[in-house]
Amino acid sequence: MIFGILSAVAHVAAGAVFGQLVGGGVGLLIGAGVGLLIGAVFGWAVAAAEVYAVSPRGVFLFVVDHTWSLLNTLVGAIYLAVHLVFGHSLDRATSRHSCRVNVVEGVSPRYATTLGTVCAGSGPGIQRHEDVHIFQARLLGPLYIPLVVANYVLFTIAPVWLLYHDHTGAPINRFTRYFEIGVYPHVWNEAIAYRIQGTPPR
């Protein structure tokens, strides 16, 4: 319960600070309100699923997620809220003491998707892959999302991955495959995660 409350407080504080920077006193109030909405949802999930154990590891990762990696946690909290709006379910069993929030349903039946500490549509066959993304976000903190976005943009407009792509096993023979088989599995965060677990789409 305490982790859920502290998480909500961190989201309110982050929203208030951002709002103050952007819009002064009025921005502070609006930012705090938005932070409260997002933080209440995420805090509820953290408390309901007992995401963080009261242990050295649990406390350490909670602190990392709500300080250095707070931007990633905020993005994940918004992602979680959208899933819940669409009627998706919190997976309490796999979230408990895992230091991540699991959602049963994914965005696509073919892929699990992880943003911040929120993982949607995963399962035992790919959970280690998704955990790599959570580790990457925790390690790089506020740099993680910009670095991932920059790599997607770079590999979309300057496909250097074509130099080492497996053209025989995974041919790029139509427009959608350029992104799904080409850009996506070659960006740095996915390439690392696929080396640890999973098979890139073909």
Side-chain angles (χ1 to χ4, degrees), residues 134-153:
I134 295 172
F135 174 77
Q136 291 165 340
R138 285 171 172 157
L139 181 66
L140 296 173
L143 302 175
Y144 176 68
I145 292 173
L147 287 172
V148 170
V149 170
N151 197 180
Y152 269 101
V153 171

Side-chain angles (χ1 to χ4, degrees), residues 45-187:
V46 165
E50 299 178 52
V51 170
Y52 298 93
V54 181
S55 67
R57 177 179 180 270
V59 171
F60 173 73
L61 291 179
F62 178 86
V63 171
V64 169
D65 290 342
H66 292 82
T67 54
W68 170 244
S69 192
L70 181 59
L71 175 62
N72 303 307
T73 302
L74 285 166
V75 170
I78 294 167
Y79 181 56
L80 172 65
V82 171
H83 273 283
L84 296 177
V85 164
F86 279 92
H88 295 178
S89 310
L90 178 65
D91 189 340
R92 298 177 190 227
T94 62
S95 298
R96 187 172 188 270
H97 295 173
S98 66
C99 300
R100 67 173 178 267
V101 178
N102 281 1
V103 178
V104 175
E105 303 85 356
V107 175
S108 160
R110 292 190 61 196
Y111 298 104
T113 309
T114 298
L115 294 176
T117 57
V118 177
C119 180
S122 187
I126 198 69
Q127 188 61 62
R128 280 182 59 222
H129 174 109
E130 300 307 317
D131 287 344
V132 170
H133 295 319
I134 295 172
F135 174 77
Q136 291 165 340
R138 285 171 172 157
L139 181 66
L140 296 173
L143 302 175
Y144 176 68
I145 292 173
L147 287 172
V148 170
V149 170
N151 197 180
Y152 269 101
V153 171
L154 174 65
F155 276 14
T156 298
I157 62 176
V160 294
W161 49 267
L162 284 169
L163 298 172
Y164 52 89
H165 178 74
D166 178 7
H167 295 278
T168 304
I172 309 295
N173 50 20
R174 62 180 183 274
F175 183 73
T176 54
R177 288 179 65 83
Y178 179 83
F179 294 97
E180 185 180 8
I181 311 301
V183 176
Y184 159 72
H186 290 100
V187 292

Side-chain angles (χ1 to χ4, degrees), residues 12-13 15-21 23-37:
V12 172
V17 169
F18 179 76
Q20 170 75 34
L21 292 173
V26 174
L28 183 148
L29 293 175
I30 294 171
V34 171
L36 179 60
L37 286 174

Side-chain angles (χ1 to χ4, degrees), residues 3-19:
F3 285 127
I5 294 169
L6 291 174
S7 181
V9 168
H11 283 81
V12 172
V17 169
F18 179 76

